[in-house]
Amino acid sequence: NLASQELGEAVDEALGALGLSSRVTHDDPSLKEAGQAILVEHARSKAMLHLNLDRTTAEAFVDEPTFVMSSTGRIRNVKDSQGRHVLSPRLNDGGLSLTDEGARVLHALMAGGAQGPPVVVVPEDAVPFVGSGRNVIHGFLSSVEGDLFPGAACLVHDPSGHLVAHGVSRCTSEEALLFEKGIAIRIRGGLLSS
């Protein structure tokens, strides 16, 4: 312990000789600020990767976030500046899960021309089912905008472009339109009021 204290003092002295500030202590407030900045950048980077957002959209989506943390220090939920729960990290594959509110926020950003996750359009007769939380079945897709891949978060629209639901793809864009049986999109949240 004495050797580590002497080493610390030597480091402080060397930093001072270079005109740099000495080491910070564990109770320094700048450490908390730096930790928060790292969490914010982590959430934005994962949103860019998993939700196909550009930097500007990710900053607008995860704007001044707050985090719900687990007892082990892992991020459980991400809330935006208005306190809306928009994202949750998935432990099983490292991806992100959109919440119903997060899907609404992303849809509003995309309506303004922002880049976002793939959009699946379902025919009018499937809208009530999908909007109430039923999965999108192959054969009941009109079109796919963007690149779907298994595990990708996506938004589901009706033919007029209104948000109906959000979910996770179980197939690629080509498979979604080619296959006739099976689940194409596992719906995580139907967004039509019942």
Side-chain angles (χ1 to χ4, degrees):
N1 191 15
L2 182 61
S4 65
Q5 185 177 358
E6 290 174 3
L7 178 62
E9 291 170 0
V11 168
D12 285 342
E13 188 178 312
L15 288 171
L18 294 171
L20 301 172
S21 60
S22 61
R23 297 171 296 144
V24 296
T25 60
H26 70 282
D27 58 349
D28 190 328
S30 64
L31 284 179
K32 186 173 183 171
E33 293 170 13
Q36 180 70 12
I38 289 170
L39 289 174
V40 169
E41 189 56 37
H42 179 75
R44 287 179 179 161
S45 297
K46 284 194 90 153
M48 290 168 59
L49 176 67
H50 294 288
L51 300 176
N52 191 35
L53 305 179
D54 57 23
R55 173 55 112 181
T56 307
T57 307
E59 288 173 354
F61 183 56
V62 185
D63 179 38
E64 299 179 22
T66 55
F67 302 95
V68 176
M69 306 295 284
S70 71
S71 61
T72 60
R74 181 184 62 80
I75 298 174
R76 275 194 185 159
N77 300 320
V78 179
K79 296 182 178 186
D80 68 5
S81 59
Q82 297 176 14
R84 299 175 295 198
H85 176 201
V86 293
L87 295 172
S88 292
R90 290 192 308 251
L91 286 177
N92 60 342
D93 63 358
L96 288 178
S97 293
L98 270 176
T99 63
D100 292 353
E101 199 60 40
R104 287 185 184 102
V105 171
L106 261 183
H107 176 70
L109 289 171
M110 291 173 64
Q115 177 180 331
V119 174
V120 173
V121 179
V122 295
E124 195 63 46
D125 58 343
V127 169
F129 300 102
V130 175
S132 66
R134 300 290 189 139
N135 294 326
V136 177
I137 306 299
H138 290 286
F140 291 93
L141 286 105
S142 300
S143 64
V144 177
E145 301 165 12
D147 293 326
L148 276 181
F149 56 89
C154 61
L155 302 179
V156 181
H157 287 182
D158 66 10
S160 59
H162 296 105
L163 183 63
V164 174
H166 67 97
V168 178
S169 174
R170 309 263 323 248
C171 57
T172 65
S173 301
E174 295 78 22
E175 293 168 344
L177 298 171
L178 183 66
F179 292 168
E180 295 178 5
K181 292 199 275 185
I183 298 172
I185 308 296
R186 179 164 298 283
I187 296 299
R188 290 191 37 87
L191 301 175
L192 295 181
S193 57
S194 42

